[in-house]
Amino acid sequence: MIKFENVSLKSLNTFGFDILATELIEIHSEQDIIELYQNGQFNQPYKTIGGGSNLLLTENLSQLVLLNKLLKKELVSETETTVTVHFGAGENWHDAVMYCVDNGWGGIENLSLIPGSVGAAPIQNIGAYGVEIKDTFESLRAFNTKTGQFRRFSNQDCRFGYRDSYFKQHPGEWIICYVSFTLSKNPQTNSSYGDIQQILTEREITSPKIKDISNAVISIRSSKLPDPKDIGNSGSFFKNPVISKSQLSDIQQEYPNIKSFSINETQVKIAAGWLIETAGWKGYKEGNVGVHKNQALVLVHYGGGKGSEIKTLAEKIQHDIYNKFQIHLEFEVNIW
Ligand code: FAD
Ligand code: NAP
C-alpha cells in the first residue's frame, strides 16, 4: 500500500474540485485491506474512491480515503457459448470493456466509455444504451470492514435496481475487490437504443459486430457528453424519475410532449433531462458552475469553484422541477 497525507483530490474527482484528504491510502491487494483492518483503521469512518466520476466533493475529508488499485483481468472459465471474466476493482471500466470487445465476448459493449473503475460499476448498476451490468454480472468478492470477512455476492445478493444496489444502500461497509461477468461467445447485438442504429446505417453496417456497437456508442458519447478533461462534471446528476401513468396524464394536459418510457402497466420513466431543459435550465451558468449547454442532466464546473456551488444549483433545480411538474428529482451522484 502507499500512504499520502494532506493530499489534494483534484485529479481524483471528475468535477475537478480541489478538496484535501487528510489521509489517502492506495490499496493494491486484499492483503493491504486485511492489514488496515488488523491495524484498526476501519474502527473510524472511511471512504473508498475509484475513478471519482460519480462524486461531488463539498468539503475537505478528515476521514481515511482508500484509493482502490486492485488490478486483474483474467478469463476464469468457459463453456461452448460463454466465458466468465474476472476483473480487479481498480481496473478502468472502459479498458475492461475493450478487453472483452477485442476478444469477441459480448454483453457489455453498450457500456463503452463510461468513466470510472470496475469496482464502482456494481454500486449503481451502471447502465447506458439499454444495457445494465446486472444483465451480465456473475458475482463479486467484497471485504466487510466491520467483521473483517470476505464474502461472495451473487447477482441476486447485489439487489440491483435502476442505478441502485445493496451496496449503494449500505455505504461504508464493504470494499469491492473483484467483479466477474459472464459474457457470450456468440453475442446478439443490441442496437435498438437511441442513435446507435442511425450511426450503423450511416456507416453502412448491416450485420453489426460488438466492436461496431462499441464504436457507435463511443462516437455518440464523445459528441454529446462533456469530457471531464475539458469541463468538470460527473455525468448525469439526477436519476430519471419514475411516476404513475395517471400523474403522467395530468402533466400531459399542460406538457403534451413530455418524454416518457413505459416501465410496467402502471408506471413510466420520465427523462429528467427533458424536465430540466423544459424548465429552462439548459445552458444556465451561475458563477463557476452551471448546466451543460447540450445535455441538461449534466451539471458542470468551469474551474475555480466549490462543490457546494454545484449542490446549491442542484437543489434549486430540484425545487423548480417540483414546483413546475410536482416531480421529485433524486440525486444520482454521491455527495461527500
Ligand atoms: P467513484 O466516483 O470513485 O465512486 C462512486 C461510489 O462508489 C462512491 O460511493 C464510492 O465510495 C463507491 N466505490 C467506488 N469504488 C468502490 C469499491 N471498490 N468498493 C466499494 N465502494 C466503492 N454512470 C452510468 O451508470 N451510466 C453512464 O452512462 C455514465 N456516464 C457517465 C459519463 C460521464 C462523463 C461521467 C463523468 C460519469 C458517468 N457515469 C455514468 C457515472 C460514473 O461513471 C459511474 O457511476 C461509475 O461507475 C463511477 O465509477 P468510479 O470508479 O469513478 O466511482
Ligand atoms: P438519450 O439517448 O438522449 O435519452 C434521454 C433519456 O431517455 C435517457 O435518460 C434514457 O433513459 C431515456 N431513453 C431514451 N431512449 C430510451 C429507450 N429506448 N428506452 C428507455 N429509455 C430511453 O440520453 P443520453 O443523455 O444521450 O444518454 C445516453 C445513455 O447513456 C442513456 O442510457 C444514459 O442513461 C447514459 N448516460 C448516463 C450517464 C450517467 O451519468 N448516469 C451519463 C451520460 C449518459 P436511461 O438513462 O434510463 O437509459
Side-chain angles (χ1 to χ4, degrees), residues 48 50-55 68 115-117 120 123-124 126-127 174 176 221 235:
T48 306
S53 64
N54 204 12
L55 292 181
N68 196 310
S117 60
I123 305 283
Q124 72 158 14
I126 56 169
W174 297 91
I176 296 175
R221 294 187 74 103

Side-chain angles (χ1 to χ4, degrees), residues 10 13-18 52-56 115 225-237 288-293 295 297-307 310 313 333:
K10 191 170 179 192
N13 73 102
T14 57
F15 264 122
F17 289 117
D18 195 5
S53 64
N54 204 12
L55 292 181
L56 174 63
L225 290 167
D227 184 340
K229 285 192 204 104
D230 304 325
I231 309 178
N233 75 89
S234 243
S236 304
F237 199 88
N288 302 300
V289 301
V291 179
H292 191 251
K293 63 180 173 33
Q295 170 50 284
L297 204 44
V298 177
L299 303 190
V300 291
H301 169 219
Y302 294 103
K306 291 197 165 75
I310 290 277
L313 173 61
V333 170

Side-chain angles (χ1 to χ4, degrees), residues 12-304:
L12 295 176
N13 73 102
T14 57
F15 264 122
F17 289 117
D18 195 5
I19 288 291
L20 278 187
T22 310
E23 191 179 13
L24 175 80
I25 301 184
E26 257 187 38
I27 46 172
H28 293 264
S29 64
E30 289 189 347
Q31 190 50 41
D32 285 349
I33 301 175
I34 293 168
E35 265 178 50
L36 291 171
Y37 178 80
Q38 288 170 343
N39 294 340
Q41 291 271 19
F42 299 127
N43 295 338
Q44 296 80 233
Y46 70 96
K47 301 276 192 198
T48 306
I49 195 168
S53 64
N54 204 12
L55 292 181
L56 174 63
L57 304 179
T58 61
E59 54 189 28
N60 289 339
L61 298 170
S62 55
Q63 62 271 66
L64 169 65
V65 178
L66 298 178
L67 182 59
N68 196 310
K69 290 278 184 188
L70 270 78
L71 300 180
K72 182 174 262 187
K73 282 195 196 97
E74 191 180 30
L75 169 66
V76 283
S77 64
E78 63 184 307
T79 66
E80 251 178 48
T81 53
T82 64
V83 290
T84 298
V85 275
H86 193 59
F87 293 109
E91 292 286 352
N92 173 275
W93 173 258
H94 179 66
D95 291 349
V97 174
M98 289 299 104
Y99 172 73
C100 298
V101 167
D102 291 341
N103 278 293
W105 304 328
I108 52 175
E109 57 281 359
N110 292 48
L111 304 178
S112 298
L113 216 61
I114 296 182
S117 60
V118 168
I123 305 283
Q124 72 158 14
N125 176 29
I126 56 169
Y129 300 94
V131 170
E132 293 178 327
I133 65 149
K134 74 166 173 40
D135 305 332
T136 48
F137 174 94
E138 200 270 329
S139 64
L140 63 76
R141 182 172 154 88
F143 181 82
N144 186 305
T145 54
K146 293 197 164 63
T147 64
Q149 303 292 311
F150 286 95
R151 180 185 154 186
R152 174 186 182 274
F153 283 77
S154 68
N155 193 315
Q156 207 180 2
D157 294 334
C158 292
R159 294 190 217 151
F160 290 124
Y162 167 63
R163 304 287 192 266
D164 198 18
S165 73
Y166 169 85
F167 301 99
K168 187 134 189 188
Q169 300 302 329
H170 294 82
E173 220 176 295
W174 297 91
I175 299 171
I176 296 175
C177 300
Y178 295 98
V179 187
S180 302
F181 296 90
T182 297
L183 304 169
S184 174
K185 287 183 183 174
N186 310 304
Q188 298 285 316
T189 55
N190 174 354
S191 61
S192 61
Y193 191 104
D195 297 334
I196 297 181
Q197 188 52 52
Q198 191 190 324
I199 297 231
L200 295 174
T201 306
E202 281 165 16
R203 294 178 182 176
E204 297 179 6
I205 298 169
T206 47
S207 305
K209 304 216 164 13
I210 55 173
K211 185 76 181 167
D212 299 316
I213 300 289
S214 170
N215 285 340
V217 168
I218 290 170
S219 297
I220 303 169
R221 294 187 74 103
S222 309
S223 66
K224 275 180 97 170
L225 290 167
D227 184 340
K229 285 192 204 104
D230 304 325
I231 309 178
N233 75 89
S234 243
S236 304
F237 199 88
F238 303 95
K239 290 187 190 181
N240 288 322
V242 173
I243 63 168
S244 68
K245 287 192 175 167
S246 66
Q247 187 179 0
L248 175 67
S249 303
D250 292 344
I251 299 172
Q252 277 169 332
Q253 306 286 322
E254 198 175 342
Y255 300 97
N257 298 328
I258 184 167
K259 197 167 174 183
S260 68
F261 301 89
S262 181
I263 290 188
N264 55 39
E265 292 214 333
T266 55
Q267 292 179 304
V268 286
K269 177 181 77 179
I270 305 292
W274 184 91
L275 296 173
I276 300 168
E277 185 174 345
T278 305
W281 289 96
K282 194 170 171 180
Y284 176 84
K285 190 165 185 272
E286 187 173 288
N288 302 300
V289 301
V291 179
H292 191 251
K293 63 180 173 33
N294 298 330
Q295 170 50 284
L297 204 44
V298 177
L299 303 190
V300 291
H301 169 219
Y302 294 103

